[in-house]
Amino acid sequence: MNEDPQQQPATVRLRGTLAAVPAYKPGKPASGPAGRPSYKISSNENPYPPLPSVLEAITMAAQQVNRYPDMAVTALTEAIAQRFNVAPERVATGTGSVGVLGQLMMITCEPGDEVVYAWRSFEAYPIIAALAGATSVAVPLTDTAEHNLEAMTAAISARTRLVLICTPNNPTGPSISGAALRDFLDEVPSETLVVIDEAYLEFNTDPDAPDALALAADYPNVAVLRTFSKAYGLAGLRIGYAVAPVEVATALRKAATPFGVSDLAQQAAIASLDAFDELQERVDSLVVERDRVRSALLAQGWAIPATQANFVWFPLGDATLDFAAAAAEKGLTVRPFAGEGVRATIGEPEANDLLIHVASDFRDSVSRVQRDKGVQS
Ligand SMILES: *Cc1c(COP(=O)(O)O)cnc(C)c1O
């Protein structure tokens, strides 16, 4: 029998800030009705398995997992620098872009310093800020679920060390325009680091989307955060990177978990950069699916915000958990944010069809309930 962990008296003193750290809620695994297919569309993962060339790189690397990886991540850093035409000194890798985000927080914030970000946005932001002992200044999105850059400008104080911009925004979908972002950057003090989190960059087809690398070239306080998890389909290998000012990238390397980025991840990321055109075809088909799903939902009467990512946002408010339960019954695991809405990832066409179907049924059942209530009152 296992011991009961509650039997052990608590004696160790932990940092007080931990009480304020919300726990990260991972997307639930797929589970649905017996005998029918089920789909996990709760974590914005890529539905496609690794390309053969990427799988081969991973398999090769697997043969030497008795060795530590290249701690300096030399070859991948070079490959990223070449691909995006930036100096390798400006590139810093980490264990997913969430890992890099933690390093960014570590190198900029003393306890009590402030981090400004939009809300609702990526749920890792408040967690990582709280772990660093930093104070979150969360600025509500506009009623079209976009960053309110004017309000964010007003929220920046002398204590603000870090500003996080998520574009396209997770979980709502809209992209910020390049011109609006430039105007915003003009207002931010140059000692405050602005991080542009572009986890969904490759899905962004908005002609007005920012060229974040150009912004990072023009402003000495801008870093761009990117990941191999979403468009490149390497979520399970944990690899992301920042393109940042040299002194920021140097500090990021100091704050990295030693040997954190495995050789499997390094080799898979290099192979993925080599196979970019093939991967982009998959991204393109997901974008077509995204636009198909949103159009169908708009036609059903849903107020789905414009999305430039690989997901759609249902602003359901109090009906959020009901919708998630109705989806689960049909074999779809979505990501509910209680009281606010549901995020659903664009997956394979069958999953998307099922989502459209679930959404339609849900609207019908809600209007039936409302009609019945109307009749009674
Ligand atoms: C998924 C996501 C990330 C990337 O996470 P990884 O740690 O690279 O897997 C970063 N930012 C946002 C906004 C995301 O949605």
Side-chain angles (χ1 to χ4, degrees), residues 96 108 120 145 179 184 187 232-233 277 279 285 310 348 366 373:
T108 54
R120 181 168 281 278
F184 174 75
E187 302 296 322
Y232 291 89
D277 292 344
L279 287 167
S285 67
N310 65 341
E348 43 279 78
V366 168
K373 270 194 198 150

Side-chain angles (χ1 to χ4, degrees), residues 24 43-44 95-99 101 121-122 125 166 168-170 197-200 225-230 235 238-240 311 343:
Y24 188 93
S43 297
N44 296 344
T95 54
S97 53
V98 166
L101 200 59
S121 188
F122 187 32
Y125 297 162
C166 186
N169 187 50
N170 176 7
D197 184 345
E198 293 197 303
Y200 303 96
L225 190 61
R226 292 185 178 170
T227 180
F228 284 94
S229 295
K230 309 283 163 56
R238 315 307 305 125
I239 168 79
F311 51 81
R343 188 192 67 202

Side-chain angles (χ1 to χ4, degrees), residues 58-88:
I58 295 171
T59 310
M60 294 286 286
Q63 291 173 17
Q64 23 177 351
V65 289
N66 54 315
R67 304 287 179 192
Y68 284 109
D70 171 13
M71 183 163 148
V73 196
T74 317
L76 174 59
T77 302
E78 278 292 339
I80 292 168
Q82 275 213 339
R83 163 104 208 157
F84 300 107
N85 198 22
V86 295

Side-chain angles (χ1 to χ4, degrees), residues 71-72 91-93 102-104 106-107 246-259:
M71 183 163 148
V91 177
T93 55
Q103 291 161 245
L104 283 162
M106 233 190 284
I107 66 169
V246 172
E247 71 275 21
V248 172
T250 305
L252 283 173
R253 280 185 218 104
K254 290 184 188 172
T257 303
F259 306 107

